[in-house]
Amino acid sequence: MEAAGQFLPLIFLFGIFYFLIIRPQQKQQKEHTDMLESLKKGDKVLTTGGLYAEIVKVEEDFIKIKLNDTSIVKLDKAFVNRKVDA
């Protein structure tokens, strides 16, 4: 009984750590993965490098994006930060 009482604060701290840090990160990661799966031609995105671009072609692991009228580059999907509405 006394041993369980000694671990109670540790269990309590782990619970707080889980609900304040781990769970929100998992939710954010899932939302990002869902966003990556929903990318389609014509979507405007912001890359992690700070570039605004328009998607030209979506493939399994990467996308081709148009930076301006003449530049089309290949980008790993993991480097898409978010979709841009306008």
Side-chain angles (χ1 to χ4, degrees):
M1 190 68 148
E2 195 174 302
Q6 290 176 341
F7 288 113
L8 193 58
L10 185 62
I11 293 169
F12 181 71
L13 285 175
F14 179 76
I16 290 173
F17 185 75
Y18 176 78
F19 284 106
L20 293 179
I21 297 174
I22 297 172
R23 191 166 170 228
Q25 280 183 341
Q26 288 175 339
K27 183 179 177 187
Q28 184 179 24
Q29 181 64 33
K30 183 176 181 340
E31 289 172 355
H32 187 255
T33 303
D34 292 343
M35 184 269 304
L36 291 178
E37 290 174 1
S38 72
L39 291 175
K40 61 187 181 305
K41 181 179 178 179
D43 285 345
K44 298 195 184 321
V45 295
L46 174 65
T47 68
T48 55
L51 298 173
Y52 287 93
E54 183 178 341
I55 296 176
V56 175
K57 185 176 182 183
V58 178
E59 299 199 7
E60 190 168 330
D61 294 332
F62 64 90
I63 58 175
K64 288 186 179 179
I65 57 174
K66 181 168 66 171
L67 299 174
N68 57 31
D69 292 336
T70 59
S71 300
I72 295 177
V73 295
K74 191 188 257 189
L75 179 72
D76 191 308
K77 279 187 178 180
F79 289 98
V80 174
N81 191 12
R82 62 183 167 93
K83 282 186 186 179
V84 180
D85 294 332

